[in-house]
Amino acid sequence: MAATAVPSPAPGPDDADELAAERLRHALGPVTVVRGTALSGGLYNSARLLELADGRRLVLKTAPRAGALTHEQGLLGTEALFHRLAAGAGAPVPVVLHHEPAGPGTPAEWLVLGYLDGITWDAARDRLTPADRAALRHRLGECLARIATVTGPVHGYPRPAVGLSGPDWPSAFTAMLHAVLADAIRFEVALPAPIDLLAALPARFRRRLAEVRRPALVHFDAWEGNIVLARTGRGEWRLSGLIDGERAFFGDPLAELVGLDPLGSAEDDPDLMAGYRSLAPGPALDTGARVRLALYRVYLALVMRVESVPRAYGGEFAAWLDTWSAERVTRQLAVLDALEA
């Protein structure tokens, strides 16, 4: 894992380092933490880079005591599962060293991962040439194709306690969308379209959703802030790994394109799609696929809009998110109307 490092205010171990050291000893046996550094960039879990006396660098992630949205239960367990499955498929991801679920004596779940050297793509953006970007997007497409080869036991979110899974993709996606709409009611979030219209989308386009037969592994949050790049000196940039798999689910591999570029249309990126199709046939962008892409874009925009309230986003970012999500949902509903006609 990699993120922006914010040095501790004091050079010696503080309470956070002591707790981290205690958890590492529980997970890994006798270890000595010589430095702890808070990592910024995440909006949900807290993360800390831990440097050990033996030279290893690890990341300790800790979840909030309770998730805000319905699907935000056991997310670190989902992340551990995603990284293990993705690694088995040959994708570059952090090594999972230990996951501790919440339970008696553990009010919040936590996860220990290996640290990926490098910086996130969004932090490196201004340093990348067009050729760098093309090569990296091709490599990212390959990575996502490998991840999509993994088949899950059910459709939907993998944590059984969440209750957002099903025997087929239409039933799972219906549960997922209805859950975020219920969260909108619970947190009194104004929606950009009538709730009945939004809730009816899965039934309205059930035939298109049913075209998905296999529950493929989907990261669903592979934007540039969750992609780690590295280089040696002034050499070529390489894709060091994909991090933060906590939003993963099993379903339509096409959904990966929506989580990949929430502000754009990844299916129109020739380098990304060439990389994907170098290892797999890739999605056929027919009418059914475009219907599903629009549905997933509505879903992601609603998730981002609703989560802003319990997380108390403020300032320019909150204002931008409110405007963007409303425009995104409205535009995608128009796309669905046109495709249906």
Short mmCIF file of all heavy atoms in Angstrom, two decimals, residues 37-93:
data_model
loop_
_atom_site.label_atom_id
_atom_site.label_comp_id
_atom_site.label_asym_id
_atom_site.label_seq_id
_atom_site.Cartn_x
_atom_site.Cartn_y
_atom_site.Cartn_z
N THR A 37 4.19 6.44 10.83
CA THR A 37 3.83 7.61 10.04
C THR A 37 2.38 7.50 9.60
O THR A 37 2.01 6.49 9.00
CB THR A 37 4.72 7.74 8.79
OG1 THR A 37 6.09 7.68 9.17
CG2 THR A 37 4.45 9.04 8.05
N ALA A 38 1.58 8.48 9.92
CA ALA A 38 0.19 8.48 9.46
C ALA A 38 0.16 8.65 7.95
O ALA A 38 0.94 9.42 7.38
CB ALA A 38 -0.57 9.61 10.13
N LEU A 39 -0.72 7.92 7.31
CA LEU A 39 -0.88 8.00 5.86
C LEU A 39 -2.20 8.70 5.55
O LEU A 39 -3.25 8.32 6.09
CB LEU A 39 -0.87 6.60 5.23
CG LEU A 39 0.43 5.81 5.40
CD1 LEU A 39 0.26 4.40 4.85
CD2 LEU A 39 1.58 6.51 4.70
N SER A 40 -2.14 9.68 4.72
CA SER A 40 -3.34 10.41 4.34
C SER A 40 -3.79 9.96 2.96
O SER A 40 -3.08 9.24 2.26
CB SER A 40 -3.08 11.92 4.32
OG SER A 40 -2.15 12.26 3.31
N GLY A 41 -4.96 10.40 2.57
CA GLY A 41 -5.47 10.09 1.24
C GLY A 41 -6.73 9.26 1.27
O GLY A 41 -7.55 9.32 0.36
N GLY A 42 -6.93 8.46 2.33
CA GLY A 42 -8.14 7.67 2.43
C GLY A 42 -9.28 8.48 3.04
O GLY A 42 -9.06 9.40 3.82
N LEU A 43 -10.51 8.11 2.69
CA LEU A 43 -11.68 8.81 3.21
C LEU A 43 -12.48 7.96 4.18
O LEU A 43 -13.48 8.42 4.72
CB LEU A 43 -12.59 9.23 2.05
CG LEU A 43 -11.98 10.23 1.04
CD1 LEU A 43 -12.95 10.46 -0.11
CD2 LEU A 43 -11.64 11.53 1.73
N TYR A 44 -12.04 6.74 4.44
CA TYR A 44 -12.84 5.85 5.29
C TYR A 44 -11.99 5.27 6.42
O TYR A 44 -12.18 5.60 7.58
CB TYR A 44 -13.47 4.73 4.46
CG TYR A 44 -14.36 3.83 5.26
CD1 TYR A 44 -15.63 4.25 5.64
CD2 TYR A 44 -13.94 2.56 5.66
CE1 TYR A 44 -16.46 3.42 6.40
CE2 TYR A 44 -14.77 1.73 6.41
CZ TYR A 44 -16.02 2.17 6.76
OH TYR A 44 -16.83 1.35 7.52
N ASN A 45 -11.04 4.42 6.09
CA ASN A 45 -10.18 3.82 7.11
C ASN A 45 -9.03 4.76 7.47
O ASN A 45 -8.67 5.64 6.71
CB ASN A 45 -9.59 2.50 6.59
CG ASN A 45 -10.66 1.50 6.24
OD1 ASN A 45 -11.44 1.09 7.08
ND2 ASN A 45 -10.71 1.09 4.97
N SER A 46 -8.44 4.53 8.64
CA SER A 46 -7.18 5.19 8.97
C SER A 46 -6.05 4.22 8.67
O SER A 46 -6.21 3.00 8.75
CB SER A 46 -7.15 5.59 10.45
OG SER A 46 -7.22 4.44 11.29
N ALA A 47 -4.89 4.76 8.29
CA ALA A 47 -3.77 3.91 7.89
C ALA A 47 -2.48 4.49 8.45
O ALA A 47 -2.31 5.71 8.56
CB ALA A 47 -3.68 3.80 6.38
N ARG A 48 -1.57 3.60 8.79
CA ARG A 48 -0.29 4.00 9.38
C ARG A 48 0.83 3.16 8.78
O ARG A 48 0.76 1.93 8.74
CB ARG A 48 -0.34 3.83 10.90
CG ARG A 48 0.72 4.60 11.65
CD ARG A 48 0.36 4.68 13.14
NE ARG A 48 1.32 5.52 13.85
CZ ARG A 48 1.26 6.84 13.89
NH1 ARG A 48 0.31 7.48 13.25
NH2 ARG A 48 2.17 7.53 14.57
N LEU A 49 1.87 3.83 8.29
CA LEU A 49 3.07 3.16 7.81
C LEU A 49 3.97 2.87 9.00
O LEU A 49 4.30 3.77 9.77
CB LEU A 49 3.80 4.04 6.80
CG LEU A 49 5.21 3.59 6.38
CD1 LEU A 49 5.17 2.24 5.69
CD2 LEU A 49 5.85 4.64 5.48
N LEU A 50 4.36 1.62 9.14
CA LEU A 50 5.18 1.19 10.27
C LEU A 50 6.51 0.65 9.77
O LEU A 50 6.54 -0.28 8.96
CB LEU A 50 4.45 0.10 11.07
CG LEU A 50 3.05 0.49 11.58
CD1 LEU A 50 2.37 -0.70 12.22
CD2 LEU A 50 3.13 1.67 12.55
N GLU A 51 7.59 1.27 10.24
CA GLU A 51 8.93 0.83 9.89
C GLU A 51 9.48 0.00 11.04
O GLU A 51 9.51 0.46 12.20
CB GLU A 51 9.82 2.03 9.61
CG GLU A 51 9.28 2.88 8.46
CD GLU A 51 10.09 4.14 8.23
OE1 GLU A 51 11.32 4.02 8.06
OE2 GLU A 51 9.50 5.24 8.25
N LEU A 52 9.91 -1.22 10.75
CA LEU A 52 10.35 -2.15 11.78
C LEU A 52 11.87 -2.18 11.88
O LEU A 52 12.59 -1.82 10.94
CB LEU A 52 9.82 -3.55 11.49
CG LEU A 52 8.31 -3.69 11.25
CD1 LEU A 52 7.93 -5.16 11.14
CD2 LEU A 52 7.51 -2.98 12.32
N ALA A 53 12.35 -2.65 13.02
CA ALA A 53 13.79 -2.72 13.25
C ALA A 53 14.47 -3.66 12.28
O ALA A 53 15.66 -3.50 11.97
CB ALA A 53 14.05 -3.15 14.70
N ASP A 54 13.75 -4.65 11.76
CA ASP A 54 14.35 -5.59 10.81
C ASP A 54 14.34 -5.08 9.38
O ASP A 54 14.71 -5.80 8.45
CB ASP A 54 13.65 -6.96 10.90
CG ASP A 54 12.16 -6.89 10.57
OD1 ASP A 54 11.71 -5.86 10.03
OD2 ASP A 54 11.44 -7.87 10.86
N GLY A 55 13.90 -3.83 9.18
CA GLY A 55 13.92 -3.22 7.85
C GLY A 55 12.62 -3.30 7.09
O GLY A 55 12.47 -2.64 6.05
N ARG A 56 11.68 -4.08 7.56
CA ARG A 56 10.41 -4.18 6.85
C ARG A 56 9.58 -2.91 7.03
O ARG A 56 9.66 -2.23 8.05
CB ARG A 56 9.61 -5.38 7.35
CG ARG A 56 10.11 -6.72 6.87
CD ARG A 56 9.22 -7.85 7.37
NE ARG A 56 9.33 -8.03 8.82
CZ ARG A 56 8.55 -8.84 9.54
NH1 ARG A 56 7.58 -9.51 8.93
NH2 ARG A 56 8.73 -8.96 10.84
N ARG A 57 8.76 -2.64 6.01
CA ARG A 57 7.79 -1.55 6.10
C ARG A 57 6.40 -2.13 5.84
O ARG A 57 6.17 -2.77 4.80
CB ARG A 57 8.11 -0.44 5.10
CG ARG A 57 9.43 0.23 5.38
CD ARG A 57 9.52 1.61 4.72
NE ARG A 57 9.55 1.50 3.27
CZ ARG A 57 9.49 2.57 2.46
NH1 ARG A 57 9.35 3.78 2.96
NH2 ARG A 57 9.57 2.40 1.15
N LEU A 58 5.51 -1.92 6.79
CA LEU A 58 4.17 -2.49 6.73
C LEU A 58 3.14 -1.38 6.89
O LEU A 58 3.46 -0.27 7.34
CB LEU A 58 3.98 -3.54 7.83
CG LEU A 58 5.04 -4.64 7.93
CD1 LEU A 58 4.72 -5.55 9.11
CD2 LEU A 58 5.11 -5.44 6.64
N VAL A 59 1.92 -1.67 6.53
CA VAL A 59 0.82 -0.73 6.71
C VAL A 59 -0.23 -1.37 7.60
O VAL A 59 -0.64 -2.52 7.38
CB VAL A 59 0.19 -0.36 5.36
CG1 VAL A 59 -1.08 0.46 5.56
CG2 VAL A 59 1.18 0.43 4.51
N LEU A 60 -0.63 -0.63 8.63
CA LEU A 60 -1.72 -1.05 9.50
C LEU A 60 -2.93 -0.19 9.18
O LEU A 60 -2.88 1.03 9.30
CB LEU A 60 -1.32 -0.87 10.98
CG LEU A 60 -2.45 -1.07 11.98
CD1 LEU A 60 -2.92 -2.53 12.00
CD2 LEU A 60 -2.00 -0.65 13.39
N LYS A 61 -4.01 -0.81 8.76
CA LYS A 61 -5.25 -0.11 8.48
C LYS A 61 -6.27 -0.45 9.55
O LYS A 61 -6.41 -1.61 9.95
CB LYS A 61 -5.80 -0.49 7.10
CG LYS A 61 -4.88 -0.15 5.94
CD LYS A 61 -5.52 -0.43 4.59
CE LYS A 61 -6.63 0.57 4.29
NZ LYS A 61 -7.12 0.41 2.88
N THR A 62 -6.99 0.55 10.01
CA THR A 62 -8.00 0.37 11.05
C THR A 62 -9.31 0.97 10.56
O THR A 62 -9.34 2.12 10.10
CB THR A 62 -7.58 1.04 12.36
OG1 THR A 62 -6.28 0.54 12.75
CG2 THR A 62 -8.58 0.74 13.46
N ALA A 63 -10.38 0.21 10.70
CA ALA A 63 -11.69 0.68 10.24
C ALA A 63 -12.36 1.49 11.34
O ALA A 63 -12.04 1.34 12.53
CB ALA A 63 -12.56 -0.51 9.86
N PRO A 64 -13.31 2.33 10.97
CA PRO A 64 -14.14 2.97 12.00
C PRO A 64 -14.90 1.90 12.78
O PRO A 64 -15.07 0.77 12.31
CB PRO A 64 -15.10 3.85 11.19
CG PRO A 64 -14.47 4.00 9.85
CD PRO A 64 -13.69 2.75 9.62
N ARG A 65 -15.36 2.27 13.95
CA ARG A 65 -16.08 1.29 14.77
C ARG A 65 -17.38 0.83 14.11
O ARG A 65 -17.86 -0.26 14.37
CB ARG A 65 -16.36 1.86 16.16
CG ARG A 65 -15.10 1.98 17.00
CD ARG A 65 -15.36 2.61 18.35
NE ARG A 65 -14.11 2.68 19.11
CZ ARG A 65 -13.90 2.05 20.25
NH1 ARG A 65 -14.83 1.29 20.77
NH2 ARG A 65 -12.75 2.17 20.88
N ALA A 66 -17.96 1.68 13.30
CA ALA A 66 -19.19 1.31 12.60
C ALA A 66 -19.21 1.99 11.24
O ALA A 66 -18.90 3.17 11.13
CB ALA A 66 -20.42 1.71 13.40
N GLY A 67 -19.56 1.24 10.21
CA GLY A 67 -19.66 1.83 8.88
C GLY A 67 -20.88 2.72 8.78
O GLY A 67 -21.91 2.48 9.42
N ALA A 68 -20.78 3.75 7.98
CA ALA A 68 -21.89 4.67 7.82
C ALA A 68 -22.96 4.11 6.89
O ALA A 68 -24.14 4.03 7.26
CB ALA A 68 -21.38 6.01 7.29
N LEU A 69 -22.56 3.69 5.70
CA LEU A 69 -23.51 3.16 4.73
C LEU A 69 -23.69 1.65 4.92
O LEU A 69 -22.84 0.98 5.51
CB LEU A 69 -23.05 3.46 3.31
CG LEU A 69 -22.78 4.93 2.98
CD1 LEU A 69 -22.55 5.10 1.48
CD2 LEU A 69 -23.89 5.83 3.46
N THR A 70 -24.80 1.14 4.41
CA THR A 70 -25.14 -0.27 4.62
C THR A 70 -24.04 -1.20 4.14
O THR A 70 -23.73 -2.20 4.80
CB THR A 70 -26.47 -0.60 3.90
OG1 THR A 70 -27.50 0.24 4.43
CG2 THR A 70 -26.85 -2.05 4.11
N HIS A 71 -23.45 -0.90 2.98
CA HIS A 71 -22.44 -1.81 2.43
C HIS A 71 -21.09 -1.66 3.12
O HIS A 71 -20.18 -2.45 2.87
CB HIS A 71 -22.28 -1.60 0.92
CG HIS A 71 -21.60 -0.32 0.54
ND1 HIS A 71 -22.26 0.87 0.43
CD2 HIS A 71 -20.31 -0.05 0.24
CE1 HIS A 71 -21.42 1.82 0.07
NE2 HIS A 71 -20.21 1.29 -0.04
N GLU A 72 -20.94 -0.67 4.00
CA GLU A 72 -19.65 -0.44 4.66
C GLU A 72 -19.53 -1.24 5.95
O GLU A 72 -19.27 -0.70 7.02
CB GLU A 72 -19.48 1.06 4.92
CG GLU A 72 -19.33 1.88 3.65
CD GLU A 72 -19.17 3.36 3.90
OE1 GLU A 72 -19.63 3.84 4.96
OE2 GLU A 72 -18.61 4.05 3.04
N GLN A 73 -19.68 -2.53 5.86
CA GLN A 73 -19.53 -3.43 6.99
C GLN A 73 -18.45 -4.45 6.64
O GLN A 73 -18.52 -5.09 5.60
CB GLN A 73 -20.85 -4.15 7.31
CG GLN A 73 -22.07 -3.24 7.40
CD GLN A 73 -21.96 -2.22 8.51
OE1 GLN A 73 -21.44 -2.52 9.59
NE2 GLN A 73 -22.46 -1.01 8.27
N GLY A 74 -17.46 -4.57 7.51
CA GLY A 74 -16.40 -5.54 7.26
C GLY A 74 -15.58 -5.24 6.03
O GLY A 74 -15.11 -6.15 5.33
N LEU A 75 -15.36 -3.94 5.76
CA LEU A 75 -14.66 -3.58 4.52
C LEU A 75 -13.21 -4.05 4.50
O LEU A 75 -12.68 -4.37 3.43
CB LEU A 75 -14.71 -2.07 4.31
CG LEU A 75 -16.05 -1.47 3.89
CD1 LEU A 75 -15.88 -0.01 3.49
CD2 LEU A 75 -16.67 -2.25 2.75
N LEU A 76 -12.56 -4.09 5.66
CA LEU A 76 -11.17 -4.56 5.65
C LEU A 76 -11.10 -6.06 5.38
O LEU A 76 -10.12 -6.55 4.81
CB LEU A 76 -10.48 -4.20 6.96
CG LEU A 76 -10.22 -2.70 7.16
CD1 LEU A 76 -9.49 -2.45 8.47
CD2 LEU A 76 -9.43 -2.12 5.99
N GLY A 77 -12.14 -6.79 5.79
CA GLY A 77 -12.21 -8.20 5.41
C GLY A 77 -12.36 -8.35 3.90
O GLY A 77 -11.76 -9.23 3.29
N THR A 78 -13.16 -7.46 3.30
CA THR A 78 -13.29 -7.46 1.85
C THR A 78 -11.96 -7.12 1.18
O THR A 78 -11.56 -7.74 0.20
CB THR A 78 -14.35 -6.43 1.41
OG1 THR A 78 -15.62 -6.82 1.94
CG2 THR A 78 -14.43 -6.34 -0.10
N GLU A 79 -11.25 -6.13 1.74
CA GLU A 79 -9.96 -5.77 1.17
C GLU A 79 -8.97 -6.92 1.23
O GLU A 79 -8.25 -7.19 0.26
CB GLU A 79 -9.38 -4.54 1.89
CG GLU A 79 -8.04 -4.11 1.34
CD GLU A 79 -7.61 -2.74 1.80
OE1 GLU A 79 -8.36 -2.07 2.51
OE2 GLU A 79 -6.49 -2.33 1.42
N ALA A 80 -8.92 -7.60 2.37
CA ALA A 80 -8.02 -8.75 2.50
C ALA A 80 -8.37 -9.82 1.48
O ALA A 80 -7.49 -10.40 0.82
CB ALA A 80 -8.10 -9.31 3.91
N LEU A 81 -9.66 -10.09 1.32
CA LEU A 81 -10.10 -11.09 0.36
C LEU A 81 -9.72 -10.67 -1.06
O LEU A 81 -9.20 -11.48 -1.84
CB LEU A 81 -11.62 -11.28 0.46
CG LEU A 81 -12.26 -12.21 -0.57
CD1 LEU A 81 -11.76 -13.64 -0.39
CD2 LEU A 81 -13.78 -12.16 -0.48
N PHE A 82 -9.98 -9.40 -1.40
CA PHE A 82 -9.66 -8.94 -2.74
C PHE A 82 -8.18 -9.11 -3.04
O PHE A 82 -7.80 -9.63 -4.10
CB PHE A 82 -10.05 -7.47 -2.93
CG PHE A 82 -9.54 -6.90 -4.22
CD1 PHE A 82 -10.24 -7.11 -5.40
CD2 PHE A 82 -8.33 -6.23 -4.29
CE1 PHE A 82 -9.75 -6.63 -6.61
CE2 PHE A 82 -7.83 -5.75 -5.49
CZ PHE A 82 -8.55 -5.95 -6.66
N HIS A 83 -7.31 -8.65 -2.14
CA HIS A 83 -5.87 -8.71 -2.41
C HIS A 83 -5.38 -10.15 -2.54
O HIS A 83 -4.52 -10.44 -3.38
CB HIS A 83 -5.10 -7.98 -1.31
CG HIS A 83 -5.27 -6.49 -1.36
ND1 HIS A 83 -5.33 -5.78 -2.52
CD2 HIS A 83 -5.39 -5.56 -0.36
CE1 HIS A 83 -5.48 -4.50 -2.26
NE2 HIS A 83 -5.52 -4.35 -0.96
N ARG A 84 -5.92 -11.03 -1.74
CA ARG A 84 -5.51 -12.44 -1.85
C ARG A 84 -5.94 -13.04 -3.19
O ARG A 84 -5.17 -13.74 -3.85
CB ARG A 84 -6.08 -13.23 -0.68
CG ARG A 84 -5.37 -12.96 0.65
CD ARG A 84 -6.10 -13.59 1.82
NE ARG A 84 -5.35 -13.44 3.06
CZ ARG A 84 -5.89 -13.26 4.26
NH1 ARG A 84 -7.22 -13.20 4.37
NH2 ARG A 84 -5.14 -13.14 5.33
N LEU A 85 -7.18 -12.78 -3.58
CA LEU A 85 -7.67 -13.33 -4.84
C LEU A 85 -6.97 -12.70 -6.03
O LEU A 85 -6.61 -13.39 -6.99
CB LEU A 85 -9.19 -13.11 -4.94
CG LEU A 85 -10.06 -13.88 -3.95
CD1 LEU A 85 -11.52 -13.48 -4.11
CD2 LEU A 85 -9.90 -15.38 -4.12
N ALA A 86 -6.77 -11.38 -5.98
CA ALA A 86 -6.11 -10.70 -7.09
C ALA A 86 -4.67 -11.17 -7.23
O ALA A 86 -4.17 -11.35 -8.35
CB ALA A 86 -6.17 -9.20 -6.89
N ALA A 87 -3.99 -11.36 -6.10
CA ALA A 87 -2.61 -11.85 -6.16
C ALA A 87 -2.56 -13.23 -6.79
O ALA A 87 -1.66 -13.54 -7.58
CB ALA A 87 -2.01 -11.88 -4.75
N GLY A 88 -3.53 -14.07 -6.47
CA GLY A 88 -3.58 -15.40 -7.05
C GLY A 88 -3.78 -15.38 -8.55
O GLY A 88 -3.39 -16.32 -9.24
N ALA A 89 -4.39 -14.29 -9.04
CA ALA A 89 -4.61 -14.15 -10.48
C ALA A 89 -3.43 -13.48 -11.17
O ALA A 89 -3.46 -13.29 -12.39
CB ALA A 89 -5.88 -13.35 -10.73
N GLY A 90 -2.40 -13.10 -10.41
CA GLY A 90 -1.22 -12.49 -11.00
C GLY A 90 -1.23 -10.99 -11.05
O GLY A 90 -0.37 -10.38 -11.71
N ALA A 91 -2.17 -10.34 -10.36
CA ALA A 91 -2.23 -8.88 -10.35
C ALA A 91 -1.31 -8.34 -9.24
O ALA A 91 -1.20 -8.96 -8.17
CB ALA A 91 -3.64 -8.39 -10.12
N PRO A 92 -0.65 -7.20 -9.46
CA PRO A 92 0.21 -6.63 -8.42
C PRO A 92 -0.60 -5.92 -7.34
O PRO A 92 -1.26 -4.91 -7.61
CB PRO A 92 1.08 -5.64 -9.21
CG PRO A 92 0.20 -5.22 -10.36
CD PRO A 92 -0.63 -6.42 -10.71
N VAL A 93 -0.57 -6.44 -6.14
CA VAL A 93 -1.32 -5.89 -5.00
C VAL A 93 -0.48 -6.08 -3.74
O VAL A 93 0.46 -6.88 -3.72
CB VAL A 93 -2.69 -6.60 -4.84
CG1 VAL A 93 -3.64 -6.23 -5.96
CG2 VAL A 93 -2.52 -8.11 -4.73
#
